[in-house]
Structures are given as C-alpha cells and as structure tokens.
Amino acid sequence: MAAYLIVDVDDLLRFTTQKGIDLHELAVALRGSAGFVAGLYDTTSLRAVAVADWRAQLRDDNAPLEPKAIFRSAGYQVIDVRDRSCLPDCLVEDVFQHDPNPIDELILATTGIDLLPLIDCVKVTDNARIRVWGDDEEAARAAGLSRDIIFQPLVGLHGIKGKNVWVYIDFENISISLNEQGFVVNLDHLIERLVSQAQAHGKLVKMAAYAPWGQRGALPPLVDASGREVADDAPARLMMANIDPVFHLPGKQSADIRIARDVLTDAGHPEAGDVIILATGDRDFNDVINPMLQRNKTVVVWGVRGSTGRLLQSHPSLQLEYIDDFTDLQTHQSLSTVESEADTESFIPSQWSSVIIQFFRLNTDRPGSVITVDSLIDQLVEVGDVISVERGDDLVSQAISLGILRQQSALGVIELSLQHPVVEKTLLIVNRMARRVANTLVSRNWEYVNYGFLLKGLAMERDLDRPGMNDSDQWRSHWIDCLVRERVLQRELVPHRHNPDDLVPVIRLPEAQDQQLAPGVDEQPAADDFSSQEWQDVPPHTLYESDKEVARMVTRIVVSVQQFTSFRNFAWCPLGSLHRRLREFDSGVVFQLAVEYLLLNNMVTVNEYPNPRSDYNTKGLELDEACPFAAVILAERDEFIRILLELYRANVTISQPNIEKHLKGNWDLPLWISIMKIENVLNALPGRADQFSLFRTHHTVKLVANDDVDEVARAEY
C-alpha cells in the first residue's frame, strides 16, 4: 500500500508559533496519526516528506534542534524548495516520479493552499483517500481541486495539543476608556474583533465580560453599526458570541475584586488556560499577573492607549496589545455622518430617548429659559438615567456628536435638533402615548388605564404606523416601560376586579403631569378629543358631509350587529369580535369614533354581558333597532337587498353597473357592495371579481324576502 504524508514546514512553523505547539511534538504526532488513518501496522511503510526552504529556517534559541534536524530525527525525508510557486512540481520530480505505483493514501499537512495543486499532479488509485490536515476547511475546498478531499483540523489530531485561551474582560473599564479616547463603542464590531484576536492566541475556551449589566447609565452608550443604542441588548449579544456576561455592582473596585478572584480560582483547575488574557488598563491586576507567570502561564494584557497603567506597560513578562489597534473602531466624528436609524430596523427606546425626553421635560418646566449641558446632565442624574455626572457628560457629548443636540454657544447652551429622525420619532411616540392615556382618563372618567387596554388603543394609532414602529405589542410595551422610567407615565399594580387576590398592571399620569404637546409635532385629535355636542343628533347621512369615513364605519357596524344578533338570537354582539371583523376598514381610530357616535345618539349600548363561553363578563354592543338613526340604515340595507333579489329573479348578472341602474337617489354603492361581501350576502364569481353571486338562503336575505328562515351555516366572527 502506497501512503504519503507531505508536510509544508514553512507554513506550519507560523501555525505552531501562533498556537503555541511544540514543533517536535507536531512532527511526531503528524507521522503517527498518518500511519493510523492509513491503516498501517508499521509507520515505516509510510513515506513522510517534510518540504521547506531550509536555509530560511533559522534555529530557535530555545529549541534543542533546528527544524530540519527535528523532522529528520522523526523519520521524514527532507526536501529543499526555495520557490514556493513551484512547490508541487518540485515534489513530483523529487518524490513521486520515482514511484511507479499509484497512491492509496495521500495526506497533506498545511494551513495554506500552495501545496494543494499537488493533489491533481499525482497518480492515485480509484479508491484512494486524500486528506488535508489544516486550519481552514473553506480555503482547502475552494482551491479548485478536481478530487474530493477529507479535511481535518490540525489541532485535535492525536498528540497535537494547542494552547487553551481564557479571556477576562473588564468591560466597564474598557468601554469607558474607549469612549474617553473618542471612540464609538460599536458593540457587535467590538465583540467580533475581541473574539478574533483571542483565537489568534490558541483555542478559545472561556471568555467572560464583567460590567454592571442592567444598571442604566453605568456604561457609556453602546451602539450598533447604524448608531442605534443597544445597551439593554448587550448581555444577549455577548452570549450569542459565547461570551459570559458577569454582573458586578458599579464601581472600579467591584470589578477588580471579582475578576481577580475568578482568575485565581480558575487557575487552580487541571484544565486551566495556558494563555490568560486580561482586557483592562488597571495596574491593580499586577497581584494577579505575577502568580499566573509563576505557574508558567502566558499572560496577555489588552489595554487602551492613554488609559493603560505604566506598570503594565513596563512589565517585562507581559504581552501588551492595544484594543484600539486591532478593533478599528470609529470615532464620534465619523459616526455623526452615518444615518442614525435604519428604516428597516425596529425603533426601540435607547439612551438617546432619555436625552430627548429629559430635555423636553426641562424645556416644559422652564419655559423661556435656556437649557445648558450641565442642567441636562443634572436632570439625567436626578431621574436615574445615568449614575454619575461623568457618565452623563459622556452621554450628552455623544448626543451632540450624533446631531441629536446642537450647541448654541460656548457657554454650553444646547437645543434639540427637531429635524433629526431620532428626535422626530421619539417626540411623536411620547406625544401620542401620553395623549392616549390622558384622553382615555378624561373621557371615561377613569382613575387609571389597564395595561392591556392601553396596548390595544395604541395599536390603533395610525400616526405611529411607520417602518420599525408600532408593529407589535412588544414594541408598544418597550415604549410604555420607557415612559414609565422617564417619569412621563406612572405604573402601578391594583387588584383585579374579578379576583382581588390577583394584581394587574395599570398606567396613570403622574401628578401635575404637563400634557403640553412636544414642539414640532403636528397635533391630531384622537377619538376622545371630540365633544359630545359635535355629533349629538346628527343623522348618519348628514355625518357623511363632515366625516365620511366615520359615517361609513357607522353603517358597517349597524348592519353587522343587526345580522349577528338576529341570526344568533342574541341581544348583544361582542365588541372585540366586531372590531376584528371590521378592522381592515379601520384606518386609525375610525372604529372608536364610530362607536362614540353611536353612543352619543343612543343607537347602541355598550355594556358587560354574561358570556356563556367564559366565566367572566364580555364587553358587548347592543343595537337599538327602534332608534330612528339605526332604522334608517337598516331600511337602506333592506332596499339594497331587494334590488339584488330583483336582479337574481330576472336572471341578470349582479354587477356594479347593473345594480347602479336600479338604484334611485344618492347611494354609496362601493360601500354597500363591500358590506354585502363582508357579510357574505354577495360572493365574487371565480375569475370575475366585478361580478357576484347572491347567497339566496342567507339569513338576512330570507328575512328581507319574507321567506321562512332556515338554519344555515353560521359564519364565525
């Protein structure tokens, strides 16, 4: 059996240096593993070849033998090749040309691609196995080879043990130092570069990041590539990169003590890291570093230029690497030119929201007064958005860099950039949510708004329907929680009305809450802003003249409720089910406005009714068919159905033009066709959307036709 092992020594010397692998151990392990996978009882049957430019390989002062001598002593034939471009050709001429037998097993040990063309240059048997032992499988498979290969990482082969790397990141110290040096802490980019740099030292086994996670304002702003603040997501993003987020209380000593304890504890384990990386700039870690060096550990310190202690810089046994060198972070100035919010991303609360809201609160509390950097920082500290004046200064400085705030004078006077997309969206959200709570409390004379009720109400705020906004209850909850933190709203727990032992969350307005609208935001009245006199005693057809969309929804509700109650022999219709049925026609708060109109004119009653399908009452809507306004709408419905019946009996195609010929007076024909479709009276013919079939046995149709009403299939709401 012909089996060959070809080792690219020039390439592997760089690999062993990076991974901390002994060259002699590598040579022996490669030969032993090759004989094992080839199924040879005796490794002397394996032809092992080590190829390199041996003259370029200088002797390592710490090694007993030169690389050439090491491979010779391990049983390798050494081949000298000075030009790597002709590496495959030289091996064919010096090794394979003299062997007429085809190869059964060919193993190439290399982390590069210069040696791989050899695979297509040698003669192999039909069942030959070709293996590549390297470091990058994708590079090996992308080399354009005509034969299939079996790839296996070098580290992991029997007898080859790389150095384990354990990393301890004082994230609070590092992020603050980077921020103070003028860098924007792009969290995702920073994580990627830290992991990559750690892997360059060996096999990454453990990585932990220490910070007061969840303590608002303890860290400088952490952003993503678009400038969106992501501090709240930091622990989750770290865990996705297999970095353990370790919590400690705010303060320098707290982090130092926790990291020092963990490093010394971990060092006592049998499988402790061979390479210990400390990402910090504190000289206090000298008490940890020296014991690690005494245990023959390689200690690497990651610091930030200008923030690394002198003792660490001058320590003779440390490897010092600067984070700002290998992370290539942007500066605040460069980030200011980047679009702060991508339309496709969810616009969620951030530390920028705190800056904007607190600036507006200051501006509202001090009308006519100027706002300075110092006064805004004091406000942020007072409400707990930051834990110190220093962190507040960092936050305000970055807001100025991003264009959220503008400096007006050298005295520190600032103002909001109302045209900035983050400012404009934030003020819109705050305005709409605060108004929704205030209007609901005033119009319904409530003490508080149920949390779930508020979520449903905000879902109907069409002004918030923008890309990345108002797309889910989770988004609305994030912003409600934000306004509670910023003291715009107040959240409490109150006993459930059906079960006093169960507490439910409710939202109130803080005492003396100023409801003035945010500047630059167009005021648009919500449902509860209309006075009862506006629509009192206004007939439905007159309502068309001023509020056509609301009048159309009123018609839909009356028809739908009457059909539901008459068919099911119910006195009321579930309000939630009714809204779901008609929601596609609700552009904003139209449904709510329509219900308000119906209530003002005594056309309906909204109450809570016993529900046979639930232990609790259900809010429902009861129609008063005797009310003149409701009777007019129902009479119009009956007239429209009679016209449909005439067309049906005359065998005339039911279409909009044919219906229009039979109508007398002013009819909103598209509305009534839509109502008949949603109520299942009319159904579009397949392939002919402008022509319809009449559901002759429909309950309402039979009532209008004075037929006996038979039970028909019930359309569920």
Side-chain angles (χ1 to χ4, degrees):
M1 178 181 183
Y4 282 82
L5 167 65
I6 311 297
V7 179
D8 185 352
V9 178
D10 285 332
D11 179 71
L12 292 189
L13 280 175
R14 293 189 294 270
F15 176 78
T16 55
T17 301
Q18 291 177 351
K19 301 298 183 181
I21 300 173
D22 182 79
L23 187 60
H24 184 267
E25 290 182 358
L26 177 68
V28 173
L30 286 175
R31 193 162 182 265
S33 297
F36 177 77
V37 299
L40 302 176
Y41 293 103
D42 185 1
T43 56
T44 57
S45 303
L46 173 73
R47 188 167 182 185
V49 178
V51 58
D53 181 3
W54 298 109
R55 293 189 180 185
Q57 303 300 340
L58 300 178
R59 176 174 175 174
D60 186 349
D61 293 336
N62 297 323
L65 295 173
E66 295 178 349
K68 187 174 184 178
I70 289 175
F71 279 92
R72 273 182 173 169
S73 65
Y76 286 79
Q77 175 187 357
V78 294
I79 302 295
D80 189 25
V81 177
R82 300 182 184 180
D83 185 0
R84 291 186 62 83
S85 64
C86 64
L87 189 61
D89 295 333
C90 293
L91 285 170
V92 170
E93 182 177 349
D94 295 341
V95 178
F96 297 97
Q97 185 176 359
H98 307 292
D99 189 350
N101 298 319
I103 299 172
D104 299 290
E105 189 88 28
L106 176 62
I107 303 171
L108 305 182
T110 179
T111 64
I113 62 174
D114 294 342
L115 187 60
L116 299 183
L118 177 66
I119 296 174
D120 289 334
C121 297
V122 297
K123 184 179 180 181
V124 298
T125 63
D126 293 339
N127 298 320
R129 289 175 299 188
I130 301 174
R131 304 177 187 270
V132 173
W133 292 346
D135 194 40
D136 189 347
E137 181 175 3
E138 292 185 4
R141 297 194 183 281
L145 304 176
S146 61
R147 297 189 179 96
D148 293 334
I149 61 172
I150 303 170
F151 179 86
Q152 188 171 356
L154 276 168
V155 176
L157 292 175
H158 181 70
I160 300 178
K161 181 179 180 297
K163 289 186 176 181
N164 291 334
V165 179
W166 291 23
V167 184
Y168 304 83
I169 304 172
D170 185 353
F171 196 89
E172 181 182 17
N173 179 287
I174 291 299
S175 60
I176 292 175
S177 297
L178 287 169
N179 182 69
E180 290 175 346
Q181 296 302 316
F183 292 101
V184 176
V185 187
N186 182 335
L187 182 61
D188 294 334
H189 181 77
L190 181 62
I191 290 173
E192 178 187 351
R193 292 302 175 91
L194 292 178
V195 171
S196 176
Q197 188 70 9
Q199 290 174 337
H201 289 277
K203 182 181 180 182
L204 183 55
V205 176
K206 175 178 179 177
M207 204 167 186
Y210 298 76
W213 307 113
Q215 299 289 314
R216 299 182 67 243
L219 298 174
L222 309 177
V223 302
D224 61 10
S226 65
R228 189 168 60 101
E229 209 277 335
V230 292
D232 292 340
D233 297 336
R237 293 175 184 241
L238 289 166
M239 286 189 287
M240 289 180 65
N242 293 321
I243 302 175
D244 183 21
V246 182
F247 172 81
H248 68 75
L249 295 174
K252 177 177 176 295
Q253 292 299 323
S254 178
D256 293 348
I257 293 172
R258 180 66 185 271
I259 294 175
R261 185 189 67 186
D262 287 356
V263 172
L264 294 174
T265 301
D266 293 344
H269 295 168
E271 298 181 358
D274 304 298
V275 179
I276 307 297
I277 299 179
L278 297 173
T280 181
D282 293 335
R283 59 184 179 182
D284 300 339
F285 282 101
N286 276 299
D287 294 337
V288 177
I289 292 170
N290 292 329
M292 295 299 101
L293 294 174
Q294 293 172 3
R295 299 188 185 191
N296 295 321
K297 306 292 185 183
T298 299
V299 181
V300 180
V301 173
W302 288 345
V304 178
R305 292 187 185 275
S307 303
T308 304
R310 292 184 178 179
L311 290 179
L312 289 178
Q313 296 181 40
S314 60
H315 201 298
S317 301
L318 293 181
Q319 296 182 35
L320 181 59
E321 300 172 352
Y322 288 106
I323 294 176
D324 34 337
D325 286 346
F326 63 76
T327 54
D328 190 29
L329 291 170
Q330 291 179 298
T331 62
H332 295 309
Q333 187 64 32
S334 64
L335 186 62
S336 64
T337 61
V338 178
E339 178 64 34
S340 297
E341 292 292 332
D343 285 342
T344 57
E345 295 180 346
S346 180
F347 185 73
I348 60 176
S350 67
Q351 287 185 317
W352 314 129
S353 310
S354 301
V355 172
I356 296 166
I357 294 172
Q358 295 310 322
F359 184 98
F360 173 63
R361 291 188 64 191
L362 275 178
N363 195 51
T364 302
D365 294 339
R366 306 176 186 178
S369 301
V370 297
I371 308 299
T372 65
V373 171
D374 291 339
S375 61
L376 179 57
I377 292 174
D378 291 341
Q379 177 77 3
L380 292 170
V381 173
E382 180 181 347
V383 300
D385 285 331
V386 294
I387 64 171
S388 66
V389 172
E390 291 77 13
R391 297 282 67 76
D393 186 52
D394 288 340
L395 186 60
V396 174
S397 297
Q398 292 200 38
I400 293 173
S401 298
L402 291 173
I404 293 173
L405 297 174
R406 285 199 301 257
Q407 285 185 306
Q408 293 295 97
S409 70
L411 299 177
V413 178
I414 54 177
E415 69 175 7
L416 272 179
S417 301
L418 296 178
Q419 307 307 317
H420 194 285
V422 177
V423 177
E424 190 268 336
K425 291 179 181 178
T426 301
L427 292 181
L428 175 66
I429 293 168
V430 175
N431 170 261
R432 290 295 177 260
M433 289 192 169
R435 286 184 62 83
R436 168 64 63 171
V437 174
N439 290 332
T440 303
L441 295 178
V442 172
S443 65
R444 299 182 182 275
N445 197 26
W446 290 350
E447 295 182 4
Y448 54 77
V449 182
N450 181 275
Y451 197 91
F453 184 89
L454 179 57
L455 289 177
K456 292 180 179 178
L458 292 174
M460 296 189 293
E461 287 282 356
R462 291 296 177 251
D463 285 344
L464 297 180
D465 287 352
R466 300 188 181 186
M469 294 172 54
N470 207 19
D471 53 2
S472 66
D473 278 347
Q474 184 179 20
W475 182 91
R476 291 180 277 274
S477 294
H478 281 322
W479 276 101
I480 293 174
D481 294 344
C482 171
L483 297 191
V484 170
R485 289 196 307 266
E486 302 301 330
R487 305 183 186 179
V488 176
L489 300 177
Q490 180 178 327
R491 178 167 48 206
E492 296 179 4
L493 292 175
V494 300
H496 192 282
R497 57 183 175 178
H498 297 301
N499 182 8
D501 295 331
D502 186 16
L503 299 179
V504 295
V506 299
I507 299 296
R508 303 177 188 267
L509 287 176
E511 294 183 6
Q513 175 67 52
D514 194 333
Q515 295 303 318
Q516 179 183 353
L517 285 177
V521 179
D522 294 333
E523 180 177 358
Q524 179 176 342
D528 301 318
D529 292 336
F530 290 94
S531 64
S532 58
Q533 280 71 30
E534 276 194 58
W535 286 342
Q536 189 79 42
D537 299 326
V538 176
H541 290 87
T542 305
L543 185 62
Y544 265 85
E545 300 174 4
S546 59
D547 296 280
K548 181 177 180 180
E549 195 172 4
V550 176
R552 298 181 97 194
M553 181 61 75
V554 167
T555 303
R556 291 183 184 277
I557 292 175
V558 170
V559 173
S560 188
V561 172
Q562 195 280 334
Q563 177 175 300
F564 178 89
T565 54
S566 65
F567 178 53
R568 294 177 180 259
N569 198 26
F570 265 35
W572 56 278
C573 172
L575 192 59
S577 299
L578 179 65
H579 181 245
R580 285 194 297 272
R581 184 176 181 83
L582 302 178
R583 186 162 187 172
E584 64 178 293
F585 310 105
D586 183 15
S587 58
V589 292
V590 175
F591 182 84
Q592 183 175 348
L593 293 174
V595 173
E596 293 290 341
Y597 170 85
L598 293 167
L599 287 169
L600 288 172
N601 291 283
N602 300 317
M603 298 170 67
V604 299
T605 301
V606 176
N607 210 332
E608 292 192 354
Y609 299 90
N611 191 335
R613 298 184 179 182
S614 173
D615 295 334
Y616 302 112
N617 291 342
T618 298
K619 181 168 288 189
L621 187 149
E622 186 174 352
L623 178 67
D624 182 4
E625 298 184 29
C627 174
F629 288 175
V632 167
I633 294 175
L634 294 176
E636 195 171 75
R637 179 206 62 182
D638 293 349
E639 179 64 22
F640 192 83
I641 291 178
R642 290 190 186 96
I643 292 173
L644 298 179
L645 284 168
E646 288 180 16
L647 296 175
Y648 173 81
R649 290 163 179 162
N651 201 23
V652 176
T653 301
I654 299 177
S655 64
Q656 183 166 330
N658 290 336
I659 297 174
E660 195 168 9
K661 292 177 182 178
H662 289 70
L663 290 175
K664 297 179 181 179
N666 296 324
W667 284 76
D668 188 349
L669 184 55
L671 169 66
W672 281 103
I673 290 179
S674 173
I675 291 175
M676 293 298 106
K677 288 170 63 179
I678 198 68
E679 299 300 334
N680 206 30
V681 173
L682 290 179
N683 295 286
L685 294 176
R688 290 175 287 176
D690 58 338
Q691 297 181 8
F692 308 95
S693 63
L694 177 65
F695 187 1
R696 180 61 182 81
T697 58
H698 189 281
H699 173 80
T700 305
V701 175
K702 293 176 72 66
L703 283 178
V704 173
N706 292 321
D707 292 347
D708 292 335
V709 180
D710 299 326
E711 289 294 327
V712 295
R714 300 189 174 188
E716 294 292 337
Y717 270 67

